[in-house]
């Protein structure tokens, strides 16, 4: 009987000590419990907007930061391009496309896109998604991966479909984006 009590006390002490240690000793990582993980339900949001890339004139929204002058292989641009609800650049602003695009193919016109789309309108004001993909700009529709996001788009993944609706000789362009993004 006495040894049984001692054993129980020892076990209680051990459990209590382990518990205190996990809350006081700090940890390099902690896994969220499954209960929290399964309560979150993933949803898919469809976003539709227009992207305006202006390289000409006095107020370009994209500038060349590296590579050859003539839009050849290696040419690298930094963009802060407006995103609007409608086709016209004067329509309601919904965000900015901020990041890099670069000519990444020696044989055709294919861009590496590394960009954040930061939204400034409605429910997604303050949230962003990150795109990392291959953009063959002469194709009618290009698909690019959404590799992450922030704010309401935390843990986002998905894809963007880009379709050029207008471009001119100087290289200015308006591109329609349909983005399908899964997030919590
Ligand atoms: C978006 O959020 C910012 C910062 O909270 C705020 O200043 C701005 O007015 C908001 N814009 C819209 C359109 O709600």
């Amino acid at each position: 009987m006495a040894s049984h009590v001692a054993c129980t006390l020892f076990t209680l002490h051990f459990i209590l000590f382990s518990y205190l240690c996990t809350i006081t000793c700090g940890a390099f990582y902690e896994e969220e419990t499954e209960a929290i993980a399964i309560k979150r339900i993933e949803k898919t949001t469809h976003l539709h907007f227009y992207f305006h890339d202006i390289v000409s004139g006095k107020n370009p929204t994209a500038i060349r930061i590296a590579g050859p002058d003539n839009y050849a292989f290696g040419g690298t641009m930094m963009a802060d391009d407006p995103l609007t609800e409608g086709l016209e650049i004067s329509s309601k602003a919904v965000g900015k496309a901020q990041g890099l695009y670069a000519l990444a193919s020696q044989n055709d016109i294919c861009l590496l896109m590394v960009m954040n789309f930061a939204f400034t309108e409605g429910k997604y004001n303050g949230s962003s998604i990150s795109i990392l993909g291959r953009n063959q700009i002469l194709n009618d529709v290009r698909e690019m991966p959404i590799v992450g996001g922030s704010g309401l788009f935390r843990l986002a993944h998905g894809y963007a479909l880009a379709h050029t609706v207008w471009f001119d000789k100087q290289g200015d362009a308006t591109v329609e984006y349909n983005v399908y993004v899964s997030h919590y």
Side-chain angles (χ1 to χ4, degrees):
M1 183 63 191
S3 76
H4 179 71
V5 171
C7 182
T8 307
L9 282 175
F10 176 77
T11 310
L12 274 175
H13 175 263
F14 181 73
I15 290 170
L16 197 62
F17 179 77
S18 321
Y19 174 70
L20 284 175
C21 189
T22 59
I23 60 172
T24 58
C25 297
F28 170 47
Y29 65 88
E30 282 176 66
E31 285 177 7
E32 298 221 346
T33 66
E34 214 166 307
I36 293 171
I38 58 176
K39 257 197 262 170
R40 295 194 301 208
I41 295 172
E42 195 177 62
K43 52 183 175 281
T44 299
T45 300
H46 172 214
L47 303 165
H48 177 255
F49 50 83
Y50 293 86
F51 166 109
H52 306 271
D53 193 51
I54 302 156
V55 294
S56 70
K58 275 199 197 133
N59 297 304
T61 61
I63 58 164
R64 194 180 62 85
I65 57 166
D69 282 337
N70 52 351
Y71 290 101
F73 177 59
T76 303
M77 308 284 287
M78 178 66 78
D80 185 12
D81 286 347
L83 303 173
T84 61
E85 191 171 60
L87 177 63
E88 299 302 326
I89 195 165
S90 54
S91 68
K92 185 156 89 179
V94 298
K96 288 290 195 77
Q98 298 173 330
L100 296 165
Y101 62 86
L103 285 134
S105 171
Q106 299 186 75
N107 304 317
D108 58 22
I109 304 176
C110 181
L111 302 179
L112 161 71
M113 305 275 286
V114 186
M115 281 204 170
N116 296 313
F117 285 6
F119 299 104
T120 53
E121 178 55 40
K123 184 179 174 184
Y124 296 109
N125 184 9
S127 298
S128 69
I129 53 174
S130 299
I131 291 193
L132 173 61
R134 183 167 187 264
N135 188 357
Q136 278 185 293
I137 57 173
L138 297 181
N139 288 2
D140 183 33
V141 179
R142 295 88 67 182
E143 179 180 332
M144 289 171 275
I146 306 296
V147 296
S150 72
L152 290 177
F153 292 125
R154 182 181 290 176
L155 294 176
H157 54 104
Y159 60 97
L161 301 175
H163 163 69
T164 303
V165 286
W166 175 88
F167 68 96
D168 67 14
K169 279 197 298 244
Q170 292 162 298
D172 296 348
T174 298
V175 182
E176 180 182 21
Y177 270 82
N178 277 288
V179 176
Y180 296 87
V181 56
S182 299
H183 57 105
Y184 294 102

